[in-house]
Amino acid sequence: MLNGAQAAPFSKTTERSKQKAAAEAERASLQQKLSTLKKDIGKTESAKDDAADTLAASEQAISDANRSLRDLAQEQGDTNTKLQQLSVEHDKLAATVATQKQQLAKLLREQYVAGNEDRIKLLLSGDNPNRINRDLQMMSYVSQAQARLLDSLRANLKAVEVNQAEAQNAKDELQEIAAEEMEQKARLEQEKTRRAALLASLSKKLAAQRKEAGNVERDEQRLTGLVDKLGKLIQEQAIAAAAEKKRQEQLAAARAEAKAKADAEARALAKAKAAEAERQRLARANAAKSGTIKPVPSKPDAIDADEPKVAQQPPPKAAEPARPAPRDEEPSKPAARAADIALAPSVPSGAPFVSLKGQLRAPVSGKIAAKFGTKRGEGPTWKGVFIRTGEGAEIRAVAGGKVIFSDWLRGFGNMIIVDHGGQYWSIYGYCESLLKRVGDPVKPGDSIASAGNSGGNEESGLYFELRHQGTAFDPAGWVKF
């Protein structure tokens, strides 16, 4: 089935295609905001050419292709599992339908052998009434059983059709995945070849720029600027989310108060009407005893004197149903959109990060080649650690949180940042591939990237930082390297 897949785009629209398009649309707004943030950082720098920038497009494409291939492999496994489940379900339904068809055929055959007497013939036969009644009752039971069997058979036949449609959709999705895999593999090989050629032509320039102390300092300033801007963005979004939550709570309270007031008015009105009806009834009873019927004035008696004159008021308005907030009231600030609060972690994953000090596992297996605080040649000191490891080695999140940055940055190549809550962040740079997107939640130990030497780095490995409130600190006391 998969051998027939072509590299050309798969033409048939599947449920997978619709869901994928919807997910991309949801990420578009946030990605646009982060792209703007990166441009703002670039504006503050000089226009000096950097050789590593030439590699940016190629390294990003390699990262995207590897992430796509990983996602497609996961989708392929899930779809194959679903297809197997549908096959088992189809076999069960087919067996049930076959059994029901046999039962229905048997009922029809027995009815034919019995002479297929109808109710009119029995009634006009002149036979014993008790026998006629008994036969009619039996015919009724048989008819009901046939009807139930037919209904069940129709339902199962419909279920078979649905099952076949879902199975066909799963097969179409597998073909679609296979076509995408072929396309991504071809793209990956093309970009790797392109990057190798660029590295060969830029090797001397890259080596020279790595030795310049000013370049290293600018790289660190660039990362610090990104961290500061991300922190402000998350803070703004958290404030907007809190304001929106408060506004929604105020609207809910106002609706509840209006409903309670309307209910109280309705109860008072009902009570007043009941009292008036009772007064009218007593007046009519008294008039009947005296033999004279007089019109009864509509005045409250002494008992009702202290009641509020609700009966004379116009009927109260019905309780207002829950309405969308933007149409009921004009908020003081625009409502926050889902994409605007995607960066801020809503609920910390697992234990608070500060309680994990000394318990975090190393993000990648390898050898520490540079430690926090040591000199970087003629430049400043290291703000993190560099772990030397093979290209493609799996990089795992040191703790749970949410991805707030997943992109290429000059000086650090393909880089991913995870917010762990409490203003604690972990940063992973020089990656070959970024396997998580902005907004993705991660659990401790989740695979988030693969090691490499992107950004013009000389060796393959991982640059790892921990930051609190934007300031880098030594990970040695936190991570068990």
Side-chain angles (χ1 to χ4, degrees):
M1 176 178 62
L2 296 180
N3 293 336
Q6 301 297 322
F10 194 74
S11 58
K12 186 171 181 179
T13 302
T14 63
E15 287 299 320
R16 172 182 172 273
S17 300
K18 296 176 184 176
Q19 293 171 2
K20 190 174 181 180
E24 291 296 334
E26 287 179 3
R27 282 193 290 264
S29 174
L30 183 58
Q31 195 59 49
Q32 178 65 32
K33 184 170 291 187
L34 291 175
S35 297
T36 303
L37 186 147
K38 279 182 64 181
K39 288 178 182 178
D40 290 343
I41 294 173
K43 289 177 182 177
T44 63
E45 300 179 346
S46 65
K48 183 179 179 181
D49 182 37
D50 191 290
D53 289 353
T54 311
L55 300 170
S58 181
E59 290 177 345
Q60 284 178 299
I62 290 172
S63 174
D64 291 344
N66 275 321
R67 181 176 62 235
S68 296
L69 284 170
R70 185 184 181 90
D71 291 345
L72 288 168
Q74 179 65 43
E75 281 189 79
Q76 194 171 45
D78 294 343
T79 306
N80 274 318
T81 300
K82 180 182 178 181
L83 195 56
Q84 291 172 1
Q85 293 172 346
L86 287 170
S87 178
V88 172
E89 183 182 340
H90 179 271
D91 291 343
K92 290 180 179 178
L93 284 171
T96 302
V97 167
T99 302
Q100 288 178 332
K101 285 182 176 179
Q102 290 175 358
Q103 291 173 346
L104 186 59
K106 183 180 178 182
L107 279 174
L108 293 173
R109 186 166 54 251
E110 289 176 352
Q111 188 175 6
Y112 176 78
V113 171
N116 197 26
E117 294 183 345
D118 59 22
R119 289 171 173 79
I120 300 297
K121 287 183 179 179
L122 281 174
L123 290 171
L124 300 177
S125 65
D127 203 350
N128 187 327
N130 290 330
R131 179 180 175 277
I132 292 174
N133 184 59
R134 184 175 63 251
D135 289 347
L136 287 172
Q137 193 68 31
M138 290 298 295
M139 289 176 68
S140 174
Y141 290 151
V142 171
S143 297
Q144 291 174 13
Q146 288 176 340
R148 286 195 298 270
L149 186 57
L150 282 170
D151 289 342
S152 178
L153 181 58
R154 290 192 190 98
N156 284 326
L157 287 171
K158 181 65 177 176
V160 169
E161 291 180 8
V162 172
N163 177 278
Q164 290 174 339
E166 290 182 354
Q168 185 58 49
N169 184 72
K171 291 175 183 177
D172 292 341
E173 287 181 353
L174 284 174
Q175 288 184 348
E176 188 180 77
I177 290 169
E180 286 188 27
E181 281 182 333
M182 292 176 64
E183 182 181 344
Q184 292 297 335
K185 284 178 181 177
R187 181 187 178 198
L188 180 60
E189 292 303 320
Q190 180 182 353
E191 291 299 338
K192 281 185 174 180
T193 303
R194 180 186 170 202
R195 181 174 184 269
L198 286 171
L199 278 173
S201 64
L202 296 171
S203 58
K204 292 182 179 179
K205 191 173 183 180
L206 284 169
Q209 288 187 345
R210 277 195 295 266
K211 293 178 181 178
E212 292 181 16
N215 275 343
V216 177
E217 291 177 358
R218 283 192 293 272
D219 291 343
E220 289 188 356
Q221 290 171 2
R222 189 178 305 109
L223 178 57
T224 299
L226 174 66
V227 167
D228 290 344
K229 287 181 180 295
L230 280 172
K232 290 178 181 178
L233 179 61
I234 290 175
Q235 185 178 12
E236 290 170 2
Q237 292 171 346
I239 292 172
E244 174 65 10
K245 182 180 178 183
K246 183 178 180 181
R247 191 181 73 86
Q248 293 292 343
E249 289 173 349
Q250 289 173 343
L251 285 175
R255 285 194 292 265
E257 183 180 353
K259 185 177 183 302
K261 182 178 179 181
D263 290 345
E265 290 177 351
R267 286 193 299 270
L269 179 59
K271 184 175 180 181
K273 286 182 177 180
E276 176 64 16
E278 178 64 14
R279 191 181 68 80
Q280 293 279 4
R281 187 187 67 78
L282 291 175
R284 285 194 296 271
N286 292 333
K289 287 180 181 179
S290 63
T292 306
I293 300 178
K294 297 180 179 179
V296 182
S298 298
K299 294 182 180 179
D301 54 22
I303 298 175
D304 297 323
D306 59 340
E307 293 292 332
K309 299 179 181 180
V310 183
Q312 298 175 8
Q313 298 175 358
K317 295 181 180 178
E320 294 183 3
R323 296 169 295 177
R327 295 185 180 180
D328 288 341
E329 296 183 14
E330 287 295 328
S332 56
K333 293 182 180 179
R337 295 175 298 171
D340 291 336
I341 58 174
L343 287 178
S346 53
V347 179
S349 177
F353 189 83
V354 68
S355 68
L356 301 176
K357 185 175 182 179
Q359 304 174 39
L360 302 176
R361 298 185 63 180
V364 70
S365 298
K367 182 180 179 181
I368 295 181
K371 295 183 179 180
F372 177 89
T374 58
K375 288 285 287 184
R376 299 184 65 172
E378 298 299 322
T381 59
W382 286 88
K383 296 297 189 293
V385 297
F386 177 70
I387 305 171
R388 187 184 295 118
T389 189
E391 186 174 328
E394 200 166 38
I395 298 172
R396 298 183 179 275
V398 295
K402 181 175 283 189
V403 176
I404 59 173
F405 185 85
S406 179
D407 207 340
W408 193 93
L409 185 69
R410 183 194 287 186
F412 299 90
N414 290 319
M415 185 179 72
I416 193 165
I417 303 177
V418 179
D419 184 355
H420 302 288
Q423 299 186 56
Y424 283 95
W425 296 2
S426 58
I427 301 174
Y428 312 78
Y430 302 157
C431 301
E432 177 194 49
S433 305
L434 306 175
L435 305 180
K436 296 290 185 180
R437 296 177 174 86
V438 173
D440 285 349
V442 296
K443 299 189 293 294
D446 274 0
S447 181
I448 59 173
S450 61
N453 62 342
S454 60
N457 194 46
E458 190 174 10
E459 294 182 279
S460 173
L462 168 68
Y463 176 70
F464 176 73
E465 273 191 21
L466 287 179
R467 292 198 176 220
H468 181 233
Q469 294 180 345
T471 303
F473 60 92
D474 189 358
W478 291 70
V479 182
K480 296 185 287 186
F481 290 110

